[in-house]
Structures are given as C-alpha cells and as structure tokens.
Amino acid sequence: MPVIAQAATPAGLLHAPIELAGDWGRMLPGAALQVVERMRHACLDGVRLVSDRQPTRLRVEEHTSGSPAVWLHPDGSSMAWTIVDIGERDWSKLAYQFGHELGHVFANSWQADAKPAPPCQWLEEAMVEAFSLRGLGRLAKDWKQNPPFPRDNAFGDAIAEYRQNIVNSYKALADSQGLTSDPAKWFAKHRSEIEVPNLNSFAQAMSLNILAQYAGASECIEALGALNRWPGRSSIPIGEYLQRWKDSCADLHASPQLPIHLSEILGILPGLK
C-alpha cells in the first residue's frame, strides 16, 4: 500500500511516527492524520508506558470494507499496522476504531505472534474497548476547547454523543445479562459464550466495568502495557492468565490493580482454572 501521509516525530508509542495508507477517498490525508494524532494523545497522555515491546512506527490503513484490525505482518519490522473502515470524514468513527486498535498495540498485540485466541481474548477486547471509550471522552472535551479544524468546536459535542450512544447500548447489555448485579454469577453462567475470542456482547458489557476502573484509578490503564508478555498469551486459562499478568506487572513495576480487580469481581483465583 502506498503511504499517503506521514507525521515525523520521535519514537515510542506516544511519539512514534504515524503514517496513513490505503483508500481514503476524497478525505484530506492531513485532516485524517490530525484526528488520529489527537486520539492517540487523548488515549495516552498522562499514561505511563511500561511495555518493553513498543513499536517504533504506526501505520493506519483505511479499507472500504471489512472490520477494523491489527494486521499481524510477519516481516520482523517494528511497525504496528492497524486497519480502519470509516465513511468519508467520519471523524468520530475514525477516532473510535483507531482508539480500539491502538489499545491492542498498547497491550502488546501487534507483532506477528499476536494471533487472538480463546479463552481470554474477550477480556483484552473488553479492556481495549474501554481504552477507546475513555479516549473518546477526552477527545470530545479537547475538541470542544481546541478543535483541530477552524471554528469546529461544536463537533466535540458530536463526538460526545457518539460515545454516549455506545455506552448506553453497553449498559443495556450489562443490565440484561446480569453483569451489573453480580459479575461472578454472570461469568459462571455465561462462561462458554463469554470466552468467544472477539468483542462479543459480553465483552462489550464488561468494558463499562473496566472503564469505571480507568476513571477511578488511572494506574489501571498502565497495566495494559504488561499484557501478553508470556508464552501462550490469551490461550491459557483465565486464572493462569490473570496470575501471569500480575507477575508481568511486577516485572515492569506497573500497578497490578486491574488484574486484581478482575480476579475479585469474576470470582477467579489467580493461578486456578
């Protein structure tokens, strides 16, 4: 794919150069790049980047069909390659999709061996969805105060409404599934459905619980940088997954508060199935 725009900045996930590629139609690459950069800062500003597996470049490729994804290219490069699928100048959707895929990159799911796998991929999906929703909220406020385009302050309200619609739909799911009233019972009852490796309706519902943790304790966010640093990644049982995540947090001197919280509310003892 030809690169059609690039922002050259120092390396590191917050400052790694971003390039746009793919079919952006009549959208101005410079405008799309500004939105992507704003969303990256909304997601990562003030967050401690603890991972020892950060990419040195980011690519955002626009497709005209298909699902957003991280492209796991086996070329050994240090570039994280994300794919989005948006309508023309649909900046809210671009920010939302990019934020979710950036969350996967933040969680060390961008290299060639990062293929999603059950039974724990759903949990990463919930965490990075919450990561994107948090970023959207911050982006909406920033856009309102300091828009990237002249006299476009009001679009901050459109971003906030886009985000709230997602939150409302997930809250309805959490209530109807029983997650709101008893997370441990919810997990035990629906476990076979929950552990499907995608952003299923149960992962969507759980994302709001995690979003609340991000809002209440910002150090919970840094724990994503300690994910997936062990053999088997998400393919191991959830008790072992949570224990290895806690160990990884200790290794990187990151807060273990989020894996501890998830263990407690789901009724899973770390190290057990």
Side-chain angles (χ1 to χ4, degrees):
M1 270 308 170
V3 174
I4 57 177
Q6 184 169 342
T9 49
L13 186 57
L14 180 58
H15 299 293
I18 295 179
E19 59 187 40
L20 300 186
D23 184 2
W24 293 87
R26 293 180 294 176
M27 288 181 278
L28 295 175
L33 189 58
Q34 286 191 69
V35 175
V36 168
E37 283 280 19
R38 284 294 187 100
M39 184 60 173
R40 173 165 67 168
H41 280 279
C43 290
L44 294 177
D45 278 352
V47 176
R48 200 161 64 97
L49 304 180
V50 299
S51 175
D52 51 3
R53 303 183 182 189
Q54 297 180 53
T56 60
R57 289 187 297 146
L58 292 171
R59 172 174 289 187
V60 183
E61 184 170 317
E62 161 66 352
H63 287 191
T64 56
S65 63
S67 301
V70 176
W71 186 258
L72 304 178
H73 51 294
D75 61 1
S77 77
S78 59
M79 178 181 70
W81 189 336
T82 65
I83 296 170
V84 297
D85 174 17
I86 65 167
E88 187 168 330
R89 288 188 288 273
D90 193 344
W91 303 136
S92 296
K93 191 173 184 180
L94 173 59
Y96 166 62
Q97 290 188 4
F98 172 70
H100 182 98
E101 303 312 324
L102 180 65
H104 283 301
V105 175
F106 184 41
N108 303 310
S109 290
W110 60 274
Q111 294 174 306
D113 64 348
K115 185 177 179 180
C120 294
Q121 182 64 30
W122 75 274
L123 195 52
E124 180 178 330
E125 295 295 340
M127 289 187 285
V128 304
E129 183 72 353
F131 178 84
S132 184
L133 291 174
R134 173 185 174 273
L136 272 182
R138 292 162 61 92
L139 178 66
K141 292 178 182 178
D142 180 56
W143 200 297
K144 186 83 172 176
Q145 297 170 358
N146 181 31
F149 312 124
R151 297 178 298 280
D152 198 33
N153 304 68
F155 192 70
D157 292 330
I159 297 172
E161 181 180 5
Y162 182 95
R163 176 187 182 274
Q164 191 60 48
N165 287 339
I166 297 173
V167 168
N168 289 345
S169 68
Y170 291 178
K171 185 179 186 305
L173 287 172
D175 291 343
S176 66
Q177 294 168 3
L179 171 60
T180 307
S181 59
D182 191 333
K185 184 177 179 180
W186 167 85
F187 182 68
K189 179 180 179 181
H190 300 288
R191 185 165 180 172
S192 63
E193 301 167 275
I194 290 170
E195 292 184 336
V196 175
N198 56 40
L199 185 62
N200 57 57
S201 63
F202 297 95
Q204 291 172 344
M206 176 54 77
S207 71
L208 294 191
N209 185 289
I210 296 169
L211 180 61
Q213 294 303 304
Y214 292 165
S218 59
E219 61 267 27
C220 285
I221 306 168
E222 72 181 37
L224 269 66
L227 277 170
N228 299 313
R229 297 175 63 252
W230 51 81
R233 298 174 54 87
S234 65
S235 68
I236 60 180
I238 190 167
E240 185 180 354
Y241 178 89
L242 292 170
Q243 183 60 57
R244 291 199 181 190
W245 185 12
K246 285 179 60 181
D247 293 343
S248 182
C249 285
D251 184 45
L252 295 175
H253 305 288
S255 170
Q257 185 169 337
L258 185 55
I260 290 172
H261 166 76
L262 292 169
S263 297
E264 292 175 347
I265 66 165
L266 295 178
I268 300 293
L269 296 177
L272 299 178
K273 295 182 179 181

